[in-house]
Amino acid sequence: QVQLVESGGGLVQAGESLILSCSTSTNTFNEYNLAWFRQAPGKEREFVGTIRSRGGGGRSYYADSVKGRFTVSRDRTKNTLNLQMNSLRVEDTAVYYCAAGVPILSAIESSRAYRYWGQGTQVTVSS
């Protein structure tokens, strides 16, 4: 059974930083591509970032809205996917989800390509 547990969300002011973590099992960490998505109230779930595993060479992919501010990393010692979020903006406010799947490269940013999801963690950025 695939389990994904997010942590690290909270309330911060604009310009501050947060680190989110997604913990999972060793099997899941090694067998699936893990990614971060987010969903703001009244909006569709959107891709945030991922590091391609399983032969992907460790290349990172990011949504244009977070490039240069967010960094995704994999910690093999802890089986976690981390999301370092810097220079946070009010528009980054959302529930952030960790997802696991085996997407083809062309679908790596599609939520439909990920089968398993965590429960989400709230990130609120105040002005």
Side-chain angles (χ1 to χ4, degrees):
Q1 185 176 359
V2 175
Q3 288 189 323
L4 305 166
V5 180
E6 302 99 334
S7 61
L11 172 63
V12 295
Q13 291 189 329
E16 294 185 340
S17 300
L18 270 179
I19 300 177
L20 304 184
S21 294
C22 172
S23 298
T24 188
S25 69
T26 301
N27 284 342
T28 299
F29 189 82
N30 291 332
E31 293 297 318
Y32 292 92
N33 192 82
L34 302 179
W36 286 102
F37 287 78
R38 67 185 182 185
Q39 188 167 19
K43 295 187 177 181
E44 293 187 354
R45 191 167 298 186
E46 65 175 1
F47 172 77
V48 175
T50 186
I51 292 183
R52 194 158 178 246
S53 59
R54 301 183 80 248
R59 180 176 174 179
S60 302
Y61 298 82
Y62 297 96
D64 288 342
S65 59
V66 306
K67 281 181 182 177
R69 301 188 297 122
F70 290 12
T71 303
V72 179
S73 61
R74 290 165 58 91
D75 186 337
R76 295 183 178 277
T77 64
K78 299 179 180 179
N79 296 328
T80 60
L81 181 76
N82 298 315
L83 180 66
Q84 172 73 51
M85 304 186 294
N86 297 327
S87 301
L88 282 162
R89 303 169 181 170
V90 172
E91 53 264 38
D92 294 319
T93 295
V95 177
Y96 284 70
Y97 296 92
C98 179
V102 191
I104 58 175
L105 183 57
S106 61
I108 202 167
E109 299 183 9
S110 171
S111 61
R112 297 179 180 180
Y114 295 83
R115 181 176 180 181
Y116 303 101
W117 294 82
Q119 81 286 353
T121 186
Q122 176 71 45
V123 172
T124 303
V125 184
S126 63
S127 59

